[in-house]
Amino acid sequence: QVQLVESGGGLVQPGGSLKLTCAASGFTFSTYHMNWYRQAPGKERELVAIITNRGSTSYADSVKGRFTISRDNAKNTVYLQMNSLKPEDTAVYYCNAYFSTSYWGQGTQVTVSS
């Protein structure tokens, strides 16, 4: 049974940091590209960061220089370190695994507010 379980979301003040974790199981994690998406209220889901199965990374312009995606294949886990958070980063953040098929987590809420 495939599972992607996100954690680490919460309420943080502007300028603060959070680290999201996505624990994967039920598929060969190391072969999959791993992505973080987010969806704010009333907006479409957007791609935030990508890490390929070879470890190459790419970011949306809106988070470049503030967010860092990483993976630990030994732990079947992908991370998203988020620094210098802004109110516009408020969204539900989703973990996605993609290779021959696509899997999604249930999402974790991130709220940036004073």
Side-chain angles (χ1 to χ4, degrees):
Q1 180 183 359
V2 172
Q3 281 193 312
L4 292 174
V5 180
E6 301 100 332
S7 60
L11 173 64
V12 63
Q13 292 187 341
S17 298
L18 282 175
K19 187 173 184 177
L20 305 183
T21 298
C22 173
S25 60
F27 62 98
T28 308
F29 179 81
S30 61
T31 65
Y32 277 67
H33 310 305
M34 298 300 298
N35 310 312
W36 285 97
Y37 284 77
R38 67 185 181 187
Q39 187 166 21
K43 295 188 176 182
E44 293 186 355
R45 191 172 295 191
E46 65 170 339
L47 180 61
V48 174
I50 299 168
I51 185 164
T52 70
N53 54 11
R54 295 189 176 187
S56 298
T57 59
S58 181
Y59 299 91
D61 286 343
S62 58
V63 306
K64 203 171 292 184
R66 299 188 298 121
F67 289 13
T68 302
I69 188 170
S70 60
R71 66 190 296 163
D72 185 337
N73 289 340
K75 295 183 178 180
N76 288 358
T77 302
V78 62
Y79 306 96
L80 186 67
Q81 177 67 47
M82 306 185 295
N83 299 329
S84 302
L85 283 160
K86 304 175 181 180
E88 51 264 43
D89 295 317
T90 295
V92 178
Y93 284 71
Y94 296 91
C95 178
N96 168 254
Y98 175 77
F99 189 65
S100 55
T101 188
S102 183
Y103 304 120
W104 291 89
Q106 82 289 349
T108 186
Q109 176 70 46
V110 171
T111 302
V112 184
S113 175
S114 55

